[in-house]
Amino acid sequence: MFLRPRTASSFRAFLRAYSSAPSPHALVFLEHRQGVIDSASLSALTAAQQLGGEVTGLVVGAPEHLPGVVQQAKKLKGVTSLLHSTSAQYSEPTAETLSLLLEKILSESSPFTHVVSAHTASAKSLLPRVAARLDLPAVSDITSLEHDSAANSTTFTRPIYAGNAIATVRAPSSIRIKFFTVRSTAFSAAPSTETEAEDKAIDPVEVNDPPTEHLKTLLTKSDRPDLGVASRVVSGGRALKNAETFESTLYPLADVLGAAVGASRAAVDAGYADNSLQVGQTGKVVAPELYMAFGISGAIQHLAGMKDSKLIVAVNKDPDAPIFQVADVGLVADLFEVVPEMVKKLKE
Amino acid sequence: MRPSAVRLLNILVPVKRAVDYAVKIRVNPQQTGIDLNVKHSMNPFDEIAVEEAVRLRERLKDAVKSIKVVTIGPPKASEVLRTALAMGADSAIHVELPESSPAPEPLGVAQALRAIIQREKESADVDLVIMGKQAIDDDAGQTGQMLAGLLGWGQATFASKVDVDTGAKTAVVMREIDGGSEEIRCKLPLVVTTDLRLNEPRYASLPNIMKAKKKTIEKLTAADLSVDFTPRLETLKVTEPPTRVGGGKVESVDELVAKLKEAGFTAV
């Protein structure tokens, strides 16, 4: 093969591969809530595997949750080894505390070439902080990636301008560790396997007198599927009038379909639905099999959060509503008549 | 030890000039970016940050000593500083970049903000940085966290409520998180990033717009701050997302339900 003519650039790449380029080794921050690993983290794990190298998982937590999480994490497909650390301070970990642990793990002698997490509220708070402390940039909310081992560069695509443009960015070899967060709807969740990866405990970095202190968490309780991962979503907008009609109209349909409930910003701002249900550029990005939009006009910011759904159904009184431009099935009608009829007919 | 006087708060609010949120953006034919010959305005999250700073002063009165806004960008970015001054900020810093230079990355911006905070130290320590949780152009959502990391300060991201206790030098912040919200107590100095729900920004009144013209905007350059804004990541191209073609409309609920069943969506 050495006799084959090659271009200067591929020869350079070859040399570099031969001399120094490390094979990729990703550190994936696996999040869990009350001992159950987040499905968004499972998608981040799938993305990390696409780098084509080793994948080390990292889990942290309070002593009462961690052993169970370690057991789950060790069995995840693609995890070649697992680091874990436990401390009472990791029960409700803050970015300020966790960043010190990550800095320790990512010290100069560490083998890691990439740091990966889901694009969740907690990881969005943590990863940029760590990256900056290591004088490294970060790439947010990626939807695809490709690693060039020879050049030691990774190329990502990510949506910008509320998903109205797609940027292709390359993290070159000069970036020692490439930090990125993963849009979970763009990657399938890594499954569990029977085999177990090796695990290793890391001492926590206890912080005396941390700058922030967790006081309380208020979670929105719901028996419905989680909005971020539901395969079906029923969503409502300003046309739902108030919180009572929002619930009484949409919830029966969501229950019939086994769907999660979402809302436009207008509906959230008006107090019809909880903040955590907001779909859009500044809320959740969802890509379910079925997305049903009731009384949602389809502003750019809302479309940013749902236009990758497989089947979009829109019901709106206004035939010119922009939502109809993306809907696979549209119906111009009064949602207050349509929804009960749908519930009835779906039950038949 | 002599008793120290109650420290007054100095607030720094970084703002960004971005393509207006209502503009339907277009990718340029060279695929290097988007057509920027469109209406620009202050990043909506930054308007919320300015509003919060002004409201803090309204709540805490004299405890807020100064509200300074800062932007890093081309000459035209000073427009958003004028807007912030008209909303109630006292003074402004414009780190002016050449018109043709690429947009700085969050890390570069965070480094510049750190340099500004260190520079401000000579006259007054910054106690609180309030900034948007993300810019609606690059949608990165990193700068606040990076700044807090570089300074070694606490951070309160995605804030929906901020209560500052000037005596104790702490803030209790409600944060939007996945699945709900959480409350944290943070020591000052602190970096807060704003969620949309934090407040409803005011419109600047005409008298305030006139007054804002008299407020000072200090001009700095990257060299003044010894910051290199050269992007570390290479943008290879910017493309249109795949267009989605609407499938047309149906006439009745029967047809709608039939389509759903056809696609395999039945009652569970």
Side-chain angles (χ1 to χ4, degrees):
Chain A
M1 75 179 266
F2 288 94
L3 296 175
R4 210 150 17 121
R6 57 172 85 241
T7 63
S9 70
S10 76
F11 186 64
R12 256 204 316 277
F14 174 78
L15 274 183
R16 194 158 24 187
Y18 203 75
S19 57
S20 67
S23 64
H25 189 164
L27 181 72
V28 184
F29 180 53
L30 297 169
E31 296 179 71
H32 62 95
R33 182 165 282 165
Q34 303 298 313
V36 179
I37 294 180
D38 268 11
S39 68
S41 287
L42 302 179
S43 299
L45 183 55
T46 300
Q49 285 174 65
Q50 292 182 7
L51 294 165
E54 281 184 73
V55 176
T56 295
L58 169 66
V59 292
V60 301
E64 64 267 33
H65 291 135
L66 196 75
V69 178
V70 168
Q71 279 311 311
Q72 294 166 52
K74 278 164 76 167
K75 291 186 179 165
L76 291 174
K77 184 169 181 289
V79 170
T80 50
S81 61
L82 184 74
L83 300 178
H84 49 89
S85 190
T86 185
S87 156
Q89 283 189 342
Y90 299 158
S91 168
E92 298 286 351
T94 63
E96 292 87 335
T97 307
L98 277 189
S99 76
L100 299 175
L101 177 71
L102 274 148
E103 281 167 54
K104 186 175 95 173
I105 295 172
L106 298 171
S107 63
E108 279 297 332
S109 57
S110 93
F112 302 110
T113 57
H114 295 77
V115 175
V116 188
S117 78
H119 194 61
T120 56
S122 46
K124 278 192 276 190
S125 299
L126 174 64
L127 257 61
R129 182 177 178 100
V130 179
R133 289 177 68 90
L134 300 172
D135 193 29
L136 296 165
V139 185
S140 296
D141 207 15
I142 64 124
T143 51
S144 75
L145 79 167
E146 199 174 339
H147 184 70
D148 181 343
S149 242
N152 189 21
S153 68
T154 313
T155 303
F156 304 96
T157 60
R158 56 178 304 266
I160 54 175
Y161 291 94
N164 289 298
I166 307 294
T168 304
V169 295
R170 178 163 57 201
S173 59
S174 57
I175 297 169
R176 180 172 72 93
I177 305 173
K178 297 156 178 81
F179 280 73
F180 62 96
T181 60
V182 174
R183 178 171 286 204
S184 54
T185 56
F187 296 87
S188 59
S192 288
T193 58
E194 285 309 306
T195 51
E196 292 195 352
E198 296 255 334
D199 69 297
K200 186 177 163 219
I202 301 272
D203 288 336
V205 182
E206 303 281 353
V207 184
N208 295 324
D209 201 20
T212 62
E213 172 198 355
H214 178 267
L215 299 178
K216 64 180 179 215
T217 301
L218 306 158
L219 293 180
T220 314
K221 291 233 165 35
S222 169
D223 300 331
R224 294 195 180 74
D226 183 39
L227 179 59
V229 294
S231 65
R232 301 168 176 191
V233 173
V234 170
S235 218
R238 199 198 301 270
L240 269 302
K241 290 201 176 102
N242 59 48
E244 289 72 41
T245 53
F246 189 92
E247 281 194 22
S248 63
T249 311
L250 293 187
Y251 286 17
L253 179 61
D255 291 340
V256 167
L257 287 166
V261 173
S264 71
R265 187 186 162 208
V268 169
D269 278 355
Y272 307 171
D274 190 78
N275 298 343
S276 59
L277 300 188
Q278 188 188 322
V279 172
Q281 183 184 19
T282 62
K284 281 253 164 45
V285 175
V286 300
E289 298 290 318
L290 172 66
Y291 188 88
M292 306 188 77
F294 293 97
I296 292 175
S297 63
I300 294 170
Q301 291 77 14
H302 186 75
L303 298 181
M306 47 64 79
K307 67 181 176 167
D308 292 326
S309 306
K310 290 257 165 51
L311 185 77
I312 297 175
V313 174
V315 176
N316 204 302
K317 269 204 283 202
D318 175 7
D320 299 322
I323 192 83
F324 286 123
Q325 290 164 22
V326 300
D328 300 289
V329 183
L331 176 61
V332 179
D334 182 353
L335 72 95
F336 292 106
E337 289 164 19
V338 170
V339 177
E341 204 179 330
M342 281 187 71
V343 171
K344 201 173 117 228
K345 292 196 163 135
L346 279 166
K347 279 184 179 163
E348 278 169 9
Chain B
M1 235 174 81
R2 72 200 152 97
S4 56
V6 178
R7 273 272 289 112
L8 304 176
L9 289 185
N10 294 299
I11 304 176
L12 186 73
V13 185
V15 297
K16 182 177 187 179
R17 176 177 180 266
V19 170
D20 189 82
Y21 71 93
V23 169
K24 174 100 185 76
I25 63 115
R26 278 205 315 269
V27 171
N28 65 26
Q30 307 83 34
Q31 297 200 328
T32 54
I34 70 145
D35 176 11
L36 291 171
N37 287 321
V38 292
K39 186 185 175 201
H40 283 62
S41 50
M42 196 194 303
N43 178 41
F45 291 99
D46 303 345
E47 280 192 331
I48 293 169
V50 175
E51 175 69 28
E52 193 63 20
V54 175
R55 286 191 192 190
L56 276 176
R57 168 178 279 158
E58 286 165 356
R59 282 204 296 273
L60 304 169
K61 309 285 181 212
D62 295 339
V64 174
K65 188 173 158 205
S66 77
I67 300 172
K68 193 171 262 194
V69 287
V70 55
T71 199
I72 300 164
K76 276 188 183 155
S78 61
E79 291 163 11
V80 296
L81 293 177
R82 288 286 171 213
T83 307
L85 292 170
M87 286 173 73
D90 306 317
S91 60
I93 299 175
H94 184 180
V95 181
E96 204 171 282
L97 305 181
E99 190 69 54
S100 56
S101 61
E105 288 173 352
L107 182 61
V109 173
Q111 286 166 341
L113 294 173
R114 173 180 58 180
I116 287 168
I117 288 166
Q118 282 163 353
R119 214 166 165 271
E120 290 289 298
K121 236 182 170 70
E122 290 159 23
S123 52
D125 278 324
V126 171
D127 307 277
L128 191 57
V129 176
I130 310 179
M131 57 199 290
K133 74 166 180 180
Q134 78 192 66
I136 60 162
D137 47 11
D138 67 15
D139 282 335
Q142 299 171 352
T143 309
Q145 298 88 303
M146 287 185 153
L147 176 63
L150 291 177
L151 293 163
W153 291 8
Q155 62 182 53
T157 47
F158 324 132
S160 57
K161 192 164 183 281
V162 179
D163 274 319
V164 177
D165 180 337
T166 45
K169 293 209 74 182
T170 58
V172 172
V173 179
M174 190 71 91
R175 303 179 55 223
E176 296 290 318
I177 57 169
D178 298 327
S181 54
E182 72 171 14
E183 198 173 58
I184 56 174
R185 184 186 292 119
C186 314
K187 290 186 186 134
L188 303 188
L190 173 70
V191 177
V192 173
T193 75
T194 61
D195 193 83
L196 277 179
R197 269 163 275 285
L198 184 58
N199 60 48
E200 188 80 39
R202 71 194 62 193
Y203 290 102
S205 65
L206 188 59
N208 286 342
I209 292 170
M210 299 312 287
K211 264 188 250 166
K213 291 188 175 164
K214 295 199 184 81
K215 294 181 183 175
T216 54
I217 296 181
E218 185 186 357
K219 297 261 183 199
L220 296 175
T221 63
D224 293 333
L225 299 171
S226 312
V227 174
D228 180 3
F229 286 112
T230 313
R232 309 264 288 265
L233 298 160
E234 303 160 7
T235 298
L236 303 183
K237 63 177 178 183
V238 173
T239 51
E240 297 272 356
T243 47
R244 195 176 176 116
V245 184
K249 290 171 186 161
V250 293
E251 293 300 322
S252 68
V253 176
D254 281 325
E255 277 183 62
L256 178 58
V257 171
K259 288 255 189 195
L260 281 181
K261 289 187 173 168
E262 199 181 299
F265 297 109
T266 51
V268 290

